[in-house]
Amino acid sequence: MSQFNDVSITREANIYFDGKVTSRAVHFPDGTKKTLGIMLPGDYEFSTEAKELMEILSGDLEIQRVGEEWRKVSAGESFEVPANSSFKLKIIEVTDYCCSYLD
């Protein structure tokens, strides 16, 4: 899906890691939420409350989920992260992403 219809967007950005990762929340009529964001090259660690689906729209990165090896993820690919967990990212080039909260 390249376009979201009938949504509301939180005007203020979520800003992390001194501005190297930013996102904005998109709220859907059914109560679900996604975030759309950009990550600049660097190493980051995130924690989750809900299960997440990260769709990589452009860019290249490596991910390491708890107990797993690093693996490469490129534009057009996605990965999931369990609820109440954490994951590490190495952003290789500027990465555009869409995060869906599944729980």
Side-chain angles (χ1 to χ4, degrees):
M1 171 184 313
S2 63
Q3 178 175 310
F4 301 130
N5 296 315
D6 303 316
V7 298
S8 62
I9 299 171
T10 302
R11 186 177 71 172
E12 293 79 20
N14 301 305
I15 301 171
Y16 308 98
F17 303 104
D18 297 321
K20 294 178 182 174
V21 177
T22 63
S23 69
R24 284 197 162 66
V26 180
H27 304 273
F28 292 80
D30 66 0
T32 59
K33 178 179 98 169
K34 297 181 186 288
T35 55
L36 299 173
I38 298 286
M39 296 182 280
L40 300 180
D43 296 343
Y44 309 107
E45 184 169 359
F46 297 93
S47 59
T48 63
E49 292 180 17
K51 183 177 178 181
E52 296 181 7
L53 169 66
M54 292 283 290
E55 298 172 89
I56 306 308
L57 306 174
S58 68
D60 285 304
L61 60 93
E62 293 181 4
I63 178 175
Q64 183 183 44
R65 290 179 282 213
V66 174
E68 295 183 8
E69 297 293 320
W70 286 96
R71 78 171 178 98
K72 187 173 180 180
V73 181
S74 297
E77 298 179 328
S78 63
F79 61 88
E80 290 188 7
V81 182
N84 303 309
S85 185
S86 64
F87 61 102
K88 295 178 182 178
L89 296 178
K90 291 181 184 179
I91 306 303
I92 299 164
E93 66 179 33
V94 174
T95 298
D96 181 19
Y97 70 92
C98 177
C99 179
S100 300
Y101 300 91
L102 305 176
D103 287 342

